[in-house]
Amino acid sequence: MNSRCELSVVMSVYNGRDHLEEAIGSILNQSFLDFEFIIINDGSTDETKQILDRFAAQDSRIRVIHQKNSGLAASLNRGVRIARGNFIARQDADDVSLPGRLEKQMAFFKCHPEIILCGTWFVEKNEDKGKRIRKYPLDDYTLRSNIKYVNLFCHPSVMFLKKAFIQAGGYDESFSTAQDFELWIRMVQVGKVANIPEILVEKRIGFGNTISWGKRKEKVRVLRRVISKHFESWTQINSAKFIRHYLPLMLYGYVPVHVLRIFRTIRYRG
């Protein structure tokens, strides 16, 4: 492996055996070949360790770090810190990067040197094989104008400059969820951002435990933390954007589970 590779792909995994091989394979089979693949095993108790060690033995681009469970934000921060590349690409352990993803993002950065963070359009798939295409805004102005109200980057699709990530302060490890959303708010203060208008990632959306009362209440608490951290007072919040983006998320924690299931089925039909 080239010790001076331009790109580092960073993944954190906790008990990811069900989809891990597919996720890793989607990176190893990219059309862009010059990268290192850093995978943090965050204290998994299933067969994740064995799967990672087998892949690492077969491909020298893979660097596996086994550690005690520290949480997603801390694991990703560690992965980025040890990365050799100037560019960092994210990959989740249950998602798939389409073959040309890394090549197209690297080419985009070369053509747009002012960009520090780049995401892509993507397909969301739920556990019932339903799916929907997600097309986020492309330009820096639109993204920047709405970044405090809604997450407009698919986390496993992003690529960013390592130096910009460090300048922004990395992931806030005190956040148990929405670490990426909170980070993007800080990264737009460092430089310009964009999305590529092409579907380059397949993102798996679970249901199960994510609809538990405790999980949903935690999402509401985290949202309130984002507001208190990035707005000096409630008077700074745009009322229309609050109603459109924040209010539905705050009410989400109080919607009956059977209603959520019906809504999810309709949303991902087809």
Side-chain angles (χ1 to χ4, degrees):
M1 181 180 64
N2 184 355
S3 61
R4 296 183 179 180
C5 59
E6 252 191 314
L7 173 64
S8 298
V9 181
V10 177
M11 170 195 287
S12 173
V13 55
Y14 174 72
N15 289 349
R17 65 181 179 185
D18 291 344
H19 307 290
L20 184 57
E21 294 190 27
E22 183 182 18
I24 294 175
S26 75
I27 293 297
L28 298 182
N29 293 322
Q30 288 287 305
S31 56
F32 185 89
L33 302 176
D34 186 19
F35 60 85
E36 63 172 352
F37 192 1
I38 299 171
I39 308 177
I40 308 293
N41 175 20
D42 192 29
S44 298
T45 57
D46 62 1
E47 290 80 24
T48 291
K49 181 180 185 301
Q50 289 76 16
I51 295 172
L52 294 180
D53 288 343
R54 172 163 51 84
F55 270 100
Q58 297 170 353
D59 196 310
S60 61
R61 292 175 296 179
I62 296 178
R63 298 170 61 191
V64 175
I65 308 295
H66 299 294
Q67 66 177 30
K68 294 181 179 179
N69 184 260
S70 302
L72 179 61
S75 298
L76 294 180
N77 280 339
R78 182 180 184 184
V80 175
R81 281 197 303 268
I82 66 174
R84 300 185 180 103
N86 295 320
F87 293 91
I88 306 294
R90 280 282 293 110
Q91 170 71 27
D92 279 344
D94 56 353
D95 298 325
V96 171
S97 290
L98 300 185
R101 176 202 161 188
L102 299 182
E103 180 179 9
K104 291 178 179 180
Q105 285 185 292
M106 289 296 288
F108 184 86
F109 275 108
K110 297 298 182 184
C111 293
H112 302 87
E114 75 279 8
I115 299 296
I116 63 157
L117 167 68
C118 169
T120 78
W121 289 352
F122 61 105
V123 175
E124 276 185 345
K125 295 183 176 181
N126 72 359
E127 58 190 11
D128 298 321
K129 298 183 179 180
K131 64 181 180 180
R132 64 173 181 157
I133 295 174
R134 304 296 304 274
K135 297 181 178 181
Y136 286 160
L138 308 178
D139 63 288
D140 177 75
Y141 175 79
T142 303
L143 292 166
R144 182 180 301 275
S145 299
N146 294 281
I147 200 68
K148 288 186 178 183
Y149 297 93
V150 58
N151 191 347
L152 294 175
F153 291 98
C154 171
H155 196 188
S157 83
V158 298
M159 183 181 291
F160 50 79
L161 286 172
K162 178 178 178 178
K163 64 180 181 180
F165 174 90
I166 294 173
Q167 186 176 344
Y171 294 96
D172 187 333
E173 297 179 13
S174 69
F175 278 75
S176 59
T177 63
Q179 303 95 338
D180 55 326
F181 175 38
E182 195 279 326
L183 172 62
W184 312 149
I185 295 174
R186 288 181 281 116
M187 286 197 73
V188 299
Q189 300 172 29
V190 176
K192 292 187 175 182
V193 298
N195 276 310
I196 294 177
E198 188 171 349
I199 296 169
L200 297 175
V201 168
E202 294 179 353
K203 179 177 174 61
R204 184 173 281 104
I205 302 296
F207 202 51
N209 292 333
T210 62
I211 64 168
S212 69
W213 179 257
K215 290 283 187 180
R216 288 187 287 153
K217 296 296 286 185
E218 177 61 22
K219 287 180 180 294
V220 173
R221 286 193 291 268
V222 167
L223 185 61
R224 288 173 175 165
R225 284 196 59 203
V226 170
I227 294 173
S228 64
K229 182 174 181 178
H230 294 286
F231 292 97
E232 293 183 6
S233 69
W234 284 85
T235 59
Q236 289 188 334
I237 299 177
N238 181 288
S239 299
K241 292 181 179 180
F242 178 88
I243 293 172
R244 180 181 179 184
H245 300 298
Y246 279 149
L247 189 58
L249 293 176
M250 288 183 167
L251 295 176
Y252 173 73
Y254 303 96
V255 178
V257 171
H258 70 277
V259 175
L260 289 177
R261 289 189 180 277
I262 294 172
F263 177 73
R264 178 65 64 93
T265 300
I266 295 172
R267 195 179 192 188
Y268 290 91
R269 182 175 293 162

